[in-house]
Amino acid sequence: MILIMELTAIFLITSALIFIFLKSYSNKKRISHRLDKFLPTPSLENSHSIKEKGQPLFQHFFLSISLLFKDVQFSERTENILLEAGSKLKPEEFFALRLLSASGLGGVTLILGLSWYLVAIPIIMGFVIPKFLMQKKRKKRLHVSSLQLIDILGMMANSMRAGFSFMQAMQLVGKEVPAPLGPEFDRVVRQVALGMPMEEVFEELVKRVPNKELEVVVRAILAQRKSGGNLAELLETMEETIRGRVRILEELNTLTAQGKMSSWIITLLPVGLGLYLSLVNREYFGPMLEHPLGWAMLFICGVSIMIGWIFIQKIIRIEV
C-alpha cells in the first residue's frame, strides 16, 4: 500500500512538472510566433525582399554555399558579434563569406605563382579579415549609440515634462532618431505593446546593444519604475553623467591615438618588409624560408612581435 502511494505521488509530481514545463514552453513559443509575425528580423525582411526582386548570380551562389552550413552549431560569440554589429547576415552566411574571402585571396596568390607556404598566409588573412571588419562595425555602432543616447535622454526628459508618458516618449524616439538606437527603441515599444514584460524587453535591448551607458540607463529606469520618483529629472541627471563620461573617453582616445598607431606600425612593418623582400628579391630572402635556422628566426621574430603588440595594447588601454 505504501509503495502504491509513493508511486502515485511520484506520478502526480512528475505530471505536474511536465505540465508546468510544457505550459511555459507553449507560452514562449506563442510569444515568439507573435514577435516573428509582427516584428520580423532584418534578415528575414532582407530574404523576403530578395525573393521578390530576384537573386543575382553571385548572391545565389553565396546563399547556396551558406545553406551547406545551415545545420552547423556556431559559437555564441559569433552570433553575438553579428547581433551587436547590427548585421543582417546569419551565422552560416557569415561563415560562407569568410570561406569565400579566404578562397579568393588564396586564388590570387596561386595565380601570382607563390610557394605553397606563402599561400597559407593570405588564406588565413582572408578568413580573419571579415571577422575583424565585423568587430570594427560593432565597435563603431556602440560608439554611435553612446553619442545618440545623450540626445535621446534629453529628448525623453523634455517630452515627459511636456506631458508625454514614458512609452509615448520612447515611441517619439523610435520615430525621430536614426539607427542604431532609433529602430531599437521602436522595437521595444512594439514588444511592450504585444504584451511582453518590460524587464524582459529591456534585457533584450541591452543584449542587442551591449553599451555600458545604455545598461546604466536601463537599470535606473527599471529601478525607478519599482520605487517611483521623478523620471524626467532622473533622465536629465543621467544625460549629464553620460555626457561627461563620453567627453572623458574622447579625450583618452585622443591621448592614446599615437600609441595605437605606433603599435600597428611596429607590428606590421617587419611583416610587410618580409613580404616585399620575398617578392622583389627572392634569392636574398630565400634562406629565411628554406633553412631551419631561418625558420627558427622567423618564429622568434613572430613571437617577439606579438609580445610587443600585447604590451603596447595593455599600456594604452585605460578603463573608464
Side-chain angles (χ1 to χ4, degrees):
M1 185 67 181
I2 298 177
L3 180 61
I4 295 176
M5 293 178 64
E6 291 178 351
L7 293 175
T8 304
I10 293 173
F11 174 76
L12 292 175
I13 293 174
T14 306
S15 301
L17 291 176
I18 293 175
F19 174 76
I20 293 172
F21 173 76
L22 293 177
K23 185 176 180 180
S24 61
Y25 177 77
S26 62
N27 289 336
K28 290 182 180 179
K29 188 174 182 180
R30 184 171 66 254
I31 292 174
S32 178
H33 177 72
R34 293 182 66 189
L35 289 177
D36 292 338
K37 182 178 180 181
F38 294 100
L39 297 173
T41 58
S43 60
L44 291 177
E45 293 177 352
N46 188 36
S47 62
H48 292 330
S49 62
I50 289 173
K51 290 179 180 179
E52 293 174 357
K53 298 179 181 178
Q55 298 176 347
L57 182 60
F58 176 77
Q59 198 168 30
H60 179 74
F61 175 70
F62 171 70
L63 294 177
S64 301
I65 295 178
S66 64
L67 289 176
L68 298 176
F69 307 100
K70 186 176 182 180
D71 298 328
V72 177
Q73 184 65 33
F74 293 92
S75 63
E76 185 178 356
R77 178 175 174 80
T78 301
E79 296 178 357
N80 290 337
I81 289 176
L82 295 175
L83 180 65
E84 295 166 7
S87 175
K88 298 179 181 180
L89 293 175
K90 300 177 182 178
E92 60 269 18
E93 294 175 350
F94 182 59
F95 185 73
L97 178 63
R98 297 179 71 181
L99 288 181
L100 290 176
S101 176
S103 302
L105 287 181
V108 171
T109 52
L110 284 175
I111 293 174
L112 294 176
L114 300 180
S115 303
W116 63 270
Y117 44 79
L118 293 178
V119 175
I121 298 177
I123 291 177
I124 296 174
M125 291 178 59
F127 190 77
V128 172
I129 285 175
K131 186 175 182 180
F132 174 76
L133 294 177
M134 191 63 66
Q135 289 175 341
K136 293 290 288 184
K137 182 179 179 182
R138 170 188 176 275
K139 185 177 180 180
K140 182 179 179 181
R141 183 171 185 258
L142 296 181
H143 177 68
V144 173
S145 299
S146 300
L147 299 179
Q148 282 188 334
L149 189 59
I150 298 173
D151 298 331
I152 287 174
L153 292 175
M155 182 186 299
M156 291 180 65
N158 294 333
S159 300
M160 295 183 69
R161 290 189 183 279
F164 282 46
S165 66
F166 176 69
M167 294 308 300
Q168 287 176 335
M170 291 193 63
Q171 189 175 10
L172 177 64
V173 170
K175 291 181 179 179
E176 299 295 334
V177 178
L181 285 186
E184 294 292 345
F185 273 71
D186 183 61
R187 182 181 177 87
V188 167
V189 172
R190 289 189 287 173
Q191 284 178 325
V192 173
L194 291 174
M196 291 186 64
M198 184 166 291
E199 291 80 6
E200 183 178 345
V201 171
F202 277 119
E203 289 293 338
E204 290 186 2
L205 173 63
V206 175
K207 184 178 180 181
R208 293 193 301 270
V209 188
N211 184 282
K212 292 182 179 180
E213 289 79 14
L214 180 61
E215 185 176 357
V216 171
V217 171
V218 167
R219 302 301 178 197
I221 291 175
L222 293 178
Q224 188 275 339
R225 292 182 64 85
K226 293 180 181 180
S227 60
N230 191 338
L231 183 56
E233 185 176 351
L234 176 63
L235 294 176
E236 288 181 348
T237 302
M238 288 190 294
E239 177 190 0
E240 296 176 359
T241 303
I242 295 175
R243 190 185 300 275
R245 176 184 170 85
V246 171
R247 185 180 65 253
I248 294 174
L249 288 174
E250 293 292 340
E251 292 178 357
L252 285 176
N253 289 332
T254 302
L255 295 174
T256 58
Q258 182 179 357
K260 292 178 182 179
M261 183 62 67
S262 300
S263 67
W264 285 108
I265 294 176
I266 294 173
T267 303
L268 297 178
L269 185 60
V271 178
L273 182 60
L275 292 175
Y276 175 77
L277 292 176
S278 63
L279 294 174
V280 176
N281 195 344
R282 183 64 178 276
E283 296 179 357
Y284 177 78
F285 196 73
M288 295 292 292
L289 303 174
E290 298 170 357
H291 196 275
L293 182 59
W295 300 342
M297 293 177 65
L298 289 176
F299 176 76
I300 295 173
C301 178
V303 173
S304 302
I305 290 174
M306 291 303 300
I307 292 175
W309 184 82
I310 292 173
F311 270 98
I312 294 176
Q313 292 298 318
K314 290 291 184 180
I315 293 173
I316 64 178
R317 186 175 299 167
I318 303 173
E319 295 290 338
V320 179

